Amino acid sequence: MMINYIFKKLFSLFLLFLLLINVSYCYADDYDYDDNVNVEDEIKANESIETSSQDFSTLSLNARSCIVLDRLSKKVLYGKNEYNKVKMASTTKIMTAIVILENCDLNQTVEISKKAAGTGGSRLGLKTGDKITVRDLLYGLMLRSGNDAAVALAQTAGGNIEGFSNLMNAKAKELGLSHTHFESPHGLDSDEHYTTAYELALLSDYALKNSTFTQIVGTKNCTVTINGYPKNLNNTNELLGVLNGVYGIKTGFTNGANRCLVTACKRNNMDIICVVLGCDTKKFRTSDSIKLIEYTFKNFEYVNIAELIHKKFTDWQNENPNYFQIDKGLHSDLQIRYTNLETPMIPIPKNDISSIKVALHIKPSIEAPIYENTVLGGIEVTSQNNLIAHCDIVTNNAVPRKYFFNYFVQFFMNYSHILNETIDFIS
């Protein structure tokens, strides 16, 4: 009897162990209890990164895919598998938050459903029937990475998870995120729930334009109210408030996605987004993020490309006052201009600035009619022989074509004095 009892106990424990493994797999969260990270130590370890001839390849990154995006120019400063489709874990909640902010009253009070309360993984700790505002749910979503808060918000805005996912995907389409697809508001592993490091950076850039979003993700700790009682929350973002310039935005972890971190960091006039996805440990995601951020700020500098182009164009005009040969034109007064750059300032590796060249290409011979905004050439800016900026040279006015009547009038005007002299002679 005793042996059977022991056997049954052991068997029950074994089943419980398997259940826990399954739950852990399905509902992994942003908290890595077995992976303590000292961010200050990681920062010190990367203080040796200096401006030199080295490139990003010397940084030895663990992330499966990552990117550094300049927010001003939208230029990719570094990318590793940045266009590969990957799972995104709780970085999903960036889209969840922005959809809520654009569609909901933040002061609305929500009653928590059984489904929301029963959602596993990282949790705000909501129970069925709890009452909390949309605003406080957003703080629970982005600071505590609460999956229960995510479902509650999804039900509020979309009726259910499927309806809210449709809103998320509609927003992704609006933003041109063609390699991103959502199936949930929380990001638990799903085959059809994916993004790319590049598109996640673009989404983050868009979200950070919303001042309320920026305020939430930049909050290190806060107090929310559930059923009238206060609850303290701490941000899961290990770099916030520790690494110089970091002001958001979101952590993530599931077994399928591994450790993920999206970081916004601004120093002086340079503002970047760093995305690391698929890191093996929290230590790696922290270290990789610090490496990329520190290297970027120490090795890149903004260059006023618009100023270089303006000087080149002005010098060319002064040196070529009668450049154009207009065939069959009603007149020869052709004015030109260059089109605006999308971004006048572009971050360039400091060691490459001396290699910047500006070249102007424009054809001299043109046949009328010439219409306004006709492209006649272009201005190219290169660094290390790589194109970094381009703008078109276009006509600023029109030149009509001469027709038979115009030639007749011109002939008459040219020889009218001869005709007058003849008439005077006869008279």
Side-chain angles (χ1 to χ4, degrees):
M1 293 290 292
M2 181 61 69
I3 294 177
N4 288 338
Y5 176 80
I6 295 174
F7 178 80
K8 289 180 180 180
K9 284 291 185 181
L10 290 173
F11 184 72
S12 297
L13 289 172
F14 178 72
L15 290 178
L16 179 61
F17 175 73
L18 291 179
L19 178 62
L20 288 173
I21 291 177
N22 184 56
V23 170
S24 174
Y25 177 79
C26 294
Y27 298 114
D29 58 39
D30 287 339
Y31 284 91
D32 301 314
Y33 301 104
D34 60 340
D35 192 8
N36 295 320
V37 175
N38 189 314
V39 179
E40 286 86 354
D41 287 347
E42 295 300 325
I43 294 173
K44 290 179 181 179
N46 288 282
E47 286 179 348
S48 60
I49 296 176
E50 299 293 343
T51 303
S52 66
S53 59
Q54 66 177 346
D55 56 32
F56 279 105
S57 64
T58 66
L59 297 182
S60 183
L61 302 172
N62 174 263
R64 303 296 188 275
S65 62
C66 53
I67 192 172
V68 177
L69 181 79
D70 173 54
R71 292 197 65 197
L72 178 62
S73 66
K74 305 301 183 287
K75 180 180 175 63
V76 176
L77 306 185
Y78 173 76
K80 173 185 176 183
N81 300 323
E82 68 270 31
Y83 303 116
N84 288 3
K85 292 181 181 180
V86 294
K87 298 181 186 300
M88 62 184 112
S90 286
T91 62
T92 295
K93 292 163 185 169
I94 297 169
M95 177 63 90
T96 302
I98 204 63
V99 171
I100 293 297
L101 285 167
E102 294 180 350
N103 291 277
C104 294
D105 177 4
L106 303 192
N107 296 317
Q108 176 185 352
T109 297
V110 175
E111 183 172 334
I112 302 304
S113 69
K114 182 178 180 180
K115 182 176 181 62
T119 306
S122 54
R123 292 172 45 80
L124 177 56
L126 300 171
K127 299 185 294 295
T128 304
D130 281 350
K131 293 183 178 180
I132 180 174
T133 65
V134 170
R135 185 185 304 277
D136 282 351
L137 281 173
L138 282 171
Y139 277 94
L141 177 82
M142 301 307 288
L143 271 67
R144 182 61 181 83
S145 200
N147 294 336
D148 49 355
V151 173
L153 289 167
Q155 291 175 330
T156 301
N160 52 40
I161 288 178
E162 182 180 358
F164 188 75
S165 296
N166 290 337
L167 294 177
M168 298 172 80
N169 288 318
K171 190 64 183 180
K173 183 177 181 181
E174 176 189 325
L175 297 177
L177 309 181
S178 58
H179 294 86
T180 297
H181 189 263
F182 298 96
E183 286 195 332
S184 74
H186 41 59
L188 297 176
D189 288 340
S190 174
D191 289 341
E192 293 303 313
H193 192 94
Y194 55 80
T195 189
T196 69
Y198 175 66
E199 293 194 354
L200 187 54
L202 293 180
L203 171 60
S204 300
D205 174 65
Y206 174 82
L208 288 165
K209 294 175 183 176
N210 184 298
S211 59
T212 304
F213 178 92
T214 302
Q215 178 183 350
I216 292 172
V217 298
T219 300
K220 184 68 175 176
N221 48 66
C222 73
T223 301
V224 298
T225 303
I226 304 174
N227 299 324
Y229 294 96
K231 183 181 181 69
N232 295 323
L233 303 180
N234 296 317
N235 202 314
T236 59
N237 188 342
E238 63 266 25
L239 298 184
L240 185 64
V242 182
L243 184 64
N244 176 29
V246 170
Y247 62 97
I249 60 177
K250 191 69 190 76
T251 59
F253 167 60
T254 63
N255 285 22
N258 286 343
R259 278 71 175 177
C260 308
L261 181 59
V262 180
T263 308
C265 190
K266 184 176 183 179
R267 297 179 188 173
N268 298 321
N269 62 340
M270 187 174 291
D271 194 353
I272 64 171
I273 292 173
C274 175
V275 178
V276 296
L277 303 174
C279 293
D280 291 330
T281 65
K282 183 178 178 181
K283 180 180 174 65
F284 277 131
R285 86 174 182 190
T286 304
S287 177
D288 282 7
S289 297
I290 293 172
K291 286 177 181 179
L292 290 168
I293 290 169
E294 292 297 339
Y295 186 88
T296 298
F297 285 115
K298 290 180 179 178
N299 287 274
F300 281 83
E301 182 177 305
Y302 277 124
V303 174
N304 193 329
I305 300 298
E307 189 176 84
L308 297 178
I309 287 177
H310 179 72
K311 183 179 186 306
K312 181 70 176 181
F313 184 75
T314 302
D315 290 347
W316 182 89
Q317 284 189 308
N318 292 334
E319 295 167 3
N320 298 273
N322 301 306
Y323 182 77
F324 294 107
Q325 302 170 13
I326 302 175
D327 186 26
K328 302 177 182 179
L330 190 59
H331 60 79
S332 59
D333 181 21
L334 181 62
Q335 305 296 319
I336 61 172
R337 61 180 175 84
Y338 58 86
T339 55
N340 293 330
L341 292 170
E342 290 185 8
T343 307
M345 304 287 288
I346 297 179
I348 305 292
K350 292 178 181 178
N351 292 329
D352 294 347
I353 291 176
S354 61
S355 72
I356 294 177
K357 295 180 181 178
V358 184
L360 187 148
H361 308 282
I362 188 167
K363 55 184 179 182
S365 300
I366 317 165
E367 182 175 315
I370 304 170
Y371 302 100
E372 188 176 353
N373 295 321
T374 298
V375 178
L376 299 181
I379 303 176
E380 294 183 346
V381 184
T382 59
S383 173
Q384 296 288 5
N385 296 319
N386 295 316
L387 182 67
I388 59 174
H390 172 272
C391 60
D392 292 327
I393 295 176
V394 299
T395 55
N396 208 31
N397 66 315
V399 178
R401 183 185 180 93
K402 283 183 181 178
Y403 291 98
F404 176 78
F405 176 75
N406 302 118
Y407 283 106
F408 176 78
V409 171
Q410 184 178 9
F411 176 83
F412 181 80
M413 295 297 292
N414 289 341
Y415 294 98
S416 60
H417 67 285
I418 298 177
L419 180 61
N420 290 333
E421 289 175 0
T422 303
I423 293 174
D424 291 342
F425 177 76
I426 295 174
S427 300

